[in-house]
Amino acid sequence: MAALIAENFRFLSLFFKSKDVMIFNGLVALGTVGSEELFSVVAFNCPCSPARNYIYGLAAIGVPALALFLIGVIWNNHTWNLVAECHKRGIKNFSAAATFLLFGSIMGRAAVAPVTWSVISLLRGEAYICALSEFVKPSSLDKFPAEYGAEVLARFPCKDVPANLTKFRDEVTRRLRYESQLFGWLLIGIVAVLVFLTKCLKHCCSPLSYRQEAYWAQYRSNEDKLFRRTAEVHSRILAAKNVKHFFGFVALDKEEKELVQEFPVEGVQPSPQWNAITGVYIYRENKGFPLYSRLHKWAKGVEGNGPSPEGHEMLFLAS
């Protein structure tokens, strides 16, 4: 138990440090596997009662998957960029293809954890067996006693059955586990094919070369890191300035004093500037030169959200 908990804490620390999309998705899947194992150990407990088994089994697979999906949507930066875009500018400037790419990016990233949860649950088979054991037709079991029905079949996952039904319980469990694992492997295959086709479509439809696409990814990562680091320092210095204005002094440590001296902050950025660099960004070129982000676009003084006679928009969403 302690090892599982430690594994999940290590996953979380890596999760928030990850910047590469593939590593990010891999860590999400790994964390979900660990969480599913922990859930099976401490939480899963089939009621072994007709009607309740089916609801409980489906809930054990579906409810955590839904929760993980919603968490994935919430943690995706594209979600809040889309919200900001709709609030400030609307999506009238985006074509149907761009809108589809945006929603596909959000849904695809958010689906990693719930799909992993569903696959692991199906491969383990416990929830599936719990949900469907009562629906096994007694006539499909050779020499199954006629006096027993769904009530006894519903108790098979708990092994709470008469001794003369042990072999039937084993057969039902084996049959349902086979079905559950088959569905699990099919789901893995379907997801793998979809990921492959999506990657191929992305690279085939991309207006950028592979090297420029890699450069764009590096630029976005570096811009985000530098922006966050600078914003943290700027907000700290501004806070120190305001606290000093209120109290007449401010208690700073040595590092903070050096920051205040090295980076004097005279004011704050007005809301229009924040609005200009916030929201969904789709790759654009202006007079043949690429604009890699909203910040880049603002720094170059390019205004407007849609294509213009002098600008060329390329519908390729940042991943």
Side-chain angles (χ1 to χ4, degrees):
M1 183 68 65
L4 285 173
I5 295 174
E7 177 186 352
N8 280 270
F9 275 112
R10 284 197 298 271
F11 156 72
L12 287 174
S13 66
L14 289 171
F15 183 93
F16 288 107
K17 293 178 182 177
S18 173
K19 300 195 173 49
D20 182 81
V21 172
M22 295 301 294
I23 296 177
F24 181 91
N25 291 340
L27 290 173
V28 171
L30 179 61
T32 306
V33 171
S35 299
E36 206 282 337
E37 291 289 338
L38 183 62
F39 171 80
S40 298
V41 172
V42 303
F44 186 82
N45 189 14
C46 185
C48 294
S49 173
R52 294 180 182 177
N53 280 16
Y54 183 70
I55 296 174
Y56 185 85
L58 290 184
I61 298 176
V63 173
L66 176 62
L68 289 170
F69 177 78
L70 294 177
I71 291 172
V73 171
I74 291 171
W75 277 351
N76 194 325
N77 288 335
H78 287 330
T79 302
W80 306 114
N81 284 334
L82 177 61
V83 171
E85 189 73 26
C86 292
H87 177 64
K88 297 296 181 183
R89 289 174 284 267
I91 58 173
K92 59 183 180 297
N93 292 313
F94 294 127
S95 66
T99 305
F100 175 78
L101 284 172
L102 177 61
F103 278 101
S105 173
I106 295 173
M107 298 298 112
R109 189 81 60 84
V112 173
V115 167
T116 303
W117 179 278
S118 301
V119 166
I120 297 302
S121 296
L122 289 172
L123 291 179
R124 288 180 62 87
E126 293 179 354
Y128 187 90
I129 293 171
C130 177
L132 297 182
S133 62
E134 64 183 282
F135 297 106
V136 174
K137 293 182 179 180
S139 58
S140 67
L141 301 172
D142 187 32
K143 298 181 181 179
F144 187 81
E147 64 269 21
Y148 297 115
E151 260 189 58
V152 173
L153 290 170
R155 297 208 306 268
F156 276 12
C158 298
K159 302 180 181 180
D160 181 22
V161 295
N164 63 323
L165 297 181
T166 302
K167 67 174 183 178
F168 298 107
R169 183 201 67 203
D170 294 340
E171 182 179 347
V172 169
T173 300
R174 185 165 52 250
R175 183 187 301 179
L176 293 177
R177 193 179 301 277
Y178 154 76
E179 294 177 2
S180 179
Q181 292 183 348
L182 177 63
F183 290 139
W185 289 119
L186 287 175
L187 182 57
I188 290 175
I190 292 170
V191 170
V193 171
L194 288 176
V195 170
F196 173 75
L197 293 177
T198 301
K199 294 292 288 184
C200 290
L201 184 64
K202 174 185 174 182
H203 288 290
C204 289
C205 298
S206 171
L208 306 179
S209 67
Y210 176 78
R211 291 187 180 276
Q212 188 178 7
E213 195 174 318
Y215 176 85
W216 185 18
Q218 291 172 345
Y219 171 85
R220 292 197 319 273
S221 176
N222 288 326
E223 181 189 85
D224 183 65
K225 285 190 294 185
L226 292 172
F227 189 91
R228 289 176 182 273
R229 190 187 311 160
T230 305
E232 195 276 332
V233 172
H234 186 282
S235 62
R236 188 186 304 184
I237 296 172
L238 181 62
K241 181 180 178 180
N242 292 333
V243 170
K244 182 178 180 180
H245 184 73
F246 183 83
F247 287 106
F249 74 96
V250 60
L252 300 174
D253 58 29
K254 182 178 179 181
E255 179 184 354
E256 290 171 334
K257 288 179 181 178
E258 292 175 352
L259 286 175
V260 171
Q261 292 174 356
E262 186 176 357
F263 305 109
V265 173
E266 299 299 332
V268 296
Q269 289 67 34
S271 293
Q273 289 187 9
W274 286 104
N275 292 338
I277 67 170
T278 303
V280 176
Y281 185 74
I282 295 176
Y283 179 83
R284 291 178 174 87
E285 289 185 358
N286 182 259
K287 298 180 180 179
F289 292 96
L291 298 172
Y292 290 119
S293 69
R294 283 198 169 275
L295 182 60
H296 188 190
K297 180 181 175 183
W298 173 84
K300 290 295 184 181
V302 179
E303 297 183 358
N305 204 34
S308 64
E310 296 181 346
H312 179 59
E313 178 182 5
M314 295 185 176
L315 300 179
F316 181 64
L317 183 69
S319 58

